[in-house]
Amino acid sequence: MVFNTMDTEAAKNYRKKKIEEIGKMTALNQDEIVSNTKTVIQGLDTLKNDYQQILNTLLNSIKTIKRENGDTNLVEEKTNILQRSLETIELGLGEGQVMMDLSNYLQKIEAEKQKLRAQVRRLCQENGWLRDELATTQQKLQVSEQRVATLEEEKKHLEFMNEMKKFDDSDGHSSVPNEEKESEAPSQLDDLGFNDPDDDQSPEVLSPSQPSAMAHAASGGYEIPARLRTLHNLVIQYASQGRYEVAVPLCKQALEDLEKTSGHDHPDVATMLNILALVYRDQGKYKEAANLLNDALNIREKTLGPDHPAVAATLNNLAVLYGKRGKYKEAEPLCKRALEIREKVLGKDHPDVAKQLNNLALLCQNQGKYEEVEQYYQRALEIYEGKLGPDDPNVAKTKNNLASAYLKQGKYKQAEVLYKEVLTRAHEKEFGKVEGENKTIWMRAEEREENKGKNKDKEGGPPLPEYGGWHKNIKVDSPTVTTTLKNLGALYRRQGKYEAAETLEECAMKSKKNHEKSKLLVSSQHNKQ
């Protein structure tokens, strides 16, 4: 059998041509290399099939020649050449597939590279924005520091004038002590972290909200997304420091950006509206705050549903705002709806439900609905004692609020029992079980009242133990205890027990002074650090 040697020559020329083409591929780009590689793989695959057919033909020829006892050397030589060529083709196909896999991997790497470049550009833009904001803020800070220095001088002057006024008033005819007037002042609304009901601040004075309280009241059960967290924390920090000239522009800029990217009706927009509303409220801009809270309420109801905890938080903030403006009738239904949502979502014995009950009780108290007030406070007290334990600060605060409601109705006995319970519990936490000579302050006060006639020559009877250190024990809520001392002292005065009243008032004054010294000490240590 005769074989055409031209086929072999053509194959060699084809291979040589392809090798030359592969050599030229180094000057090509990636897409051209991939395209040429695919072409080479297809050519090699075709050549492999052709060689395989020729090899099969040669093998059949060898079998035929052997049967005819012919010379098979030439055919076997060609067969070996073809087999080596096939091995080379197989190697080329493998290398071509490796190049294709490498190309796919490089494409993925390039895509990731482009994505990272886009992120870097975005971060550079945000960094530039923050630098501009920082420069503007630093300028405003300098102006604010100048204003603060001026206000500090004015404050010192007013304090001096106030001290002079006290000396003038000491010769007057007022028979009602300041502590009694304070005890009769209505408690402030507990809006999940804003002004503490037991603070001695006047209701007309607006203090900046605490950072954690503002964050909780603003988010209200809706988790702050990562993209907002830094800006959200900055706004809250500036607002808590009273730096509204920085907090308000930051918040407005965030709102504008959010509305452009996510649209107005988005939960993130509602969160920022809540924050801005709370900042406005701290500034006394009640009308603007109410508009923002109503807008936030509509967004959260649409996007999160009418029974979401965030909706309850917004309702509560709106109710507190109305309460601060004296609109108790408008605030009450909002507070009741917030209570219903919290009961439905959290359960009827959750501590947040108790906070809402406290708010509702205060609103009803300002409307003279004392029967409802007692029910709300008693239920809140049961929740706090059951869930948080008898030593939780909220228990003492709620008992104080309930006692104030009793005082308003002239129920002095019930109020007295609650005040004594608060003081007894605080005494046991700091001084141990009440027994023998280990007596509570109210017991000492009543002993002095009973013995005032017998101990005239002994300058007021036996010496009192040190009761000014309530703040030293972290388990004792010092402001609450101080308030209780003043309130029970005022109650004793109404009952004509002046010696007992003076005893409690003296201890309250000492406790308050020690607490203030402690805060100043902590503040000075912090500044040194």
Side-chain angles (χ1 to χ4, degrees):
M1 186 173 181
V2 180
F3 298 97
N4 190 355
T5 59
M6 291 298 292
D7 291 340
T8 305
E9 285 296 324
K12 289 181 178 180
N13 291 334
Y14 180 81
R15 288 169 57 195
K16 183 177 180 181
K17 182 179 179 181
K18 290 301 178 183
I19 291 170
E20 289 175 353
E21 290 177 358
I22 292 172
K24 295 177 182 178
M25 287 173 65
T26 56
L28 303 177
N29 60 34
Q30 183 176 340
D31 293 335
E32 291 173 340
I33 291 173
V34 172
S35 176
N36 289 336
T37 303
K38 289 181 180 178
T39 304
V40 170
I41 289 174
Q42 291 174 355
L44 288 174
D45 192 63
T46 303
L47 189 61
K48 173 186 172 184
N49 293 334
D50 293 341
Y51 274 31
Q52 190 66 47
Q53 290 177 0
I54 294 171
L55 180 62
N56 292 336
T57 304
L58 289 173
L59 292 173
N60 291 332
S61 298
I62 289 173
K63 292 178 183 179
T64 304
I65 292 170
K66 284 183 177 181
R67 283 198 298 268
E68 296 174 356
N69 296 320
D71 186 9
T72 61
N73 290 334
L74 179 61
V75 177
E76 288 177 353
E77 183 180 352
K78 290 183 177 182
T79 301
N80 292 334
I81 292 171
L82 282 173
Q83 286 176 339
R84 286 196 296 272
S85 297
L86 279 172
E87 290 173 359
T88 305
I89 290 170
E90 288 286 349
L91 180 61
L93 286 171
E95 291 175 349
Q97 189 60 47
V98 169
M99 290 183 68
M100 294 299 296
D101 293 339
L102 181 60
S103 173
N104 292 333
Y105 177 75
L106 289 175
Q107 287 178 351
K108 291 181 181 178
I109 293 295
E110 186 63 25
E112 289 294 329
K113 183 179 177 182
Q114 293 299 328
K115 190 184 297 184
L116 289 173
R117 282 179 176 173
Q119 291 180 356
V120 168
R121 284 196 298 271
R122 181 175 60 81
L123 290 173
C124 289
Q125 291 173 354
E126 292 179 359
N127 187 42
W129 176 74
L130 287 174
R131 285 180 182 274
D132 293 340
E133 288 292 329
L134 179 60
T136 305
T137 302
Q138 286 176 338
Q139 293 175 356
K140 292 180 178 179
L141 176 62
Q142 292 177 354
V143 176
S144 299
E145 286 176 344
Q146 293 174 357
R147 290 179 182 173
V148 167
T150 305
L151 290 173
E152 285 290 340
E153 291 299 322
E154 293 179 0
K155 180 185 174 185
K156 289 178 181 178
H157 176 69
L158 290 173
E159 286 176 347
F160 173 76
M161 295 300 295
N162 191 38
E163 290 294 327
M164 297 301 295
K165 186 178 178 182
K166 285 182 180 178
F167 285 113
D168 293 337
D169 290 342
S170 63
D171 296 329
H173 301 287
S174 175
S175 60
V176 182
N178 291 332
E179 290 77 12
E180 183 171 350
K181 293 179 182 177
E182 288 177 5
S183 69
E184 293 176 354
S187 301
Q188 296 178 6
L189 291 175
D190 177 12
D191 50 342
L192 300 181
F194 292 93
N195 299 330
D196 194 327
D198 289 323
D199 285 346
D200 290 333
Q201 296 174 351
S202 173
E204 289 79 20
V205 178
L206 291 174
S207 60
S209 307
Q210 294 299 317
S212 60
M214 180 174 279
H216 184 73
S219 60
Y222 174 73
E223 184 178 357
I224 303 297
R227 61 177 178 156
L228 281 181
R229 203 164 291 147
T230 301
L231 185 60
H232 169 266
N233 293 339
L234 274 175
V235 172
I236 288 175
Q237 182 180 354
Y238 286 135
S240 66
Q241 296 170 357
R243 298 173 64 183
Y244 305 116
E245 74 282 356
V246 181
V248 172
L250 276 176
C251 206
K252 287 184 176 179
Q253 183 63 48
L255 273 172
E256 185 179 341
D257 293 343
L258 280 172
E259 289 179 340
K260 285 180 182 178
T261 56
S262 305
H264 183 70
D265 293 337
H266 192 276
D268 295 351
V269 175
T271 298
M272 294 308 297
L273 286 170
N274 260 277
I275 296 172
L276 184 55
L278 298 176
V279 172
Y280 278 154
R281 193 193 67 179
D282 281 356
Q283 292 179 282
K285 297 179 180 179
Y286 296 132
K287 186 176 180 181
E288 294 90 336
N291 292 335
L292 293 174
L293 286 173
N294 277 308
D295 194 7
L297 179 62
N298 291 331
I299 294 172
R300 282 181 165 175
E301 286 179 329
K302 287 179 186 177
T303 57
L304 303 176
D307 294 332
H308 195 276
V311 174
T314 309
L315 285 166
N316 182 73
N317 290 341
L318 195 54
V320 171
L321 180 65
Y322 285 149
K324 286 180 176 290
R325 299 173 67 186
K327 297 183 177 182
Y328 306 117
K329 289 184 179 179
E330 292 88 338
E332 185 179 349
L334 298 173
C335 205
K336 284 184 175 179
R337 187 183 162 201
L339 175 63
E340 291 173 0
I341 294 173
R342 293 189 193 280
E343 288 178 333
K344 185 176 181 180
V345 177
L346 304 174
K348 294 195 174 186
D349 57 351
H350 194 277
D352 281 356
V353 172
K355 289 183 178 180
Q356 201 69 58
L357 287 165
N358 263 299
N359 279 2
L360 190 53
L362 289 168
L363 290 172
C364 290
Q365 183 170 324
N366 281 288
Q367 299 175 70
K369 300 178 180 179
Y370 291 110
E371 186 175 346
E372 296 179 36
V373 171
E374 291 181 18
Q375 292 175 359
Y376 293 140
Y377 277 141
Q378 286 169 355
R379 188 179 159 204
L381 190 58
E382 290 174 3
I383 294 173
Y384 282 137
E385 289 181 329
K387 288 293 180 180
L388 305 180
D391 296 321
D392 186 80
N394 289 298
V395 173
K397 291 178 182 179
T398 306
K399 284 185 177 182
N400 260 298
N401 289 342
L402 179 56
S404 297
Y406 284 144
L407 282 178
K408 290 284 185 180
Q409 303 172 73
K411 298 180 178 180
Y412 300 140
K413 191 62 180 177
Q414 292 94 321
E416 184 178 346
V417 169
L418 289 173
Y419 288 140
K420 288 180 177 179
E421 286 179 1
V422 173
L423 293 177
T424 300
R425 194 69 188 176
H427 180 97
E428 289 177 342
K429 293 300 295 181
E430 189 164 357
F431 302 109
K433 186 178 179 181
V434 177
E435 57 183 359
E437 288 302 313
N438 184 23
K439 298 178 181 179
T440 62
I441 181 62
W442 62 265
M443 291 178 180
R444 299 281 188 182
E446 290 189 352
E447 281 184 359
R448 280 194 165 188
E449 182 66 33
E450 292 175 3
N451 298 327
K452 63 182 177 181
K454 304 175 183 177
N455 296 314
K456 283 183 179 179
D457 298 331
K458 297 181 182 180
E459 298 182 355
L464 285 175
E466 179 60 49
Y467 280 91
W470 298 102
H471 64 279
K472 294 179 182 177
N473 193 325
I474 59 173
K475 297 178 181 178
V476 175
D477 186 25
S478 179
T480 304
V481 173
T482 303
T483 301
T484 307
L485 287 167
K486 291 190 294 184
N487 290 350
L488 184 54
L491 180 58
Y492 280 152
R493 285 193 178 276
R494 292 186 182 184
Q495 297 172 342
K497 300 177 180 179
Y498 299 111
E499 188 76 20
E502 288 177 5
T503 302
L504 296 184
E505 289 160 4
E506 179 186 346
C507 288
M509 185 66 68
K510 187 182 295 185
S511 178
K512 184 177 180 181
K513 286 180 179 178
N514 286 342
H515 187 60
E516 290 173 352
K517 287 180 183 178
S518 175
K519 288 197 293 186
L520 287 172
L521 181 61
V522 171
S523 177
S524 63
Q525 290 175 348
H526 178 72
N527 292 334
K528 288 179 181 178
Q529 291 174 355

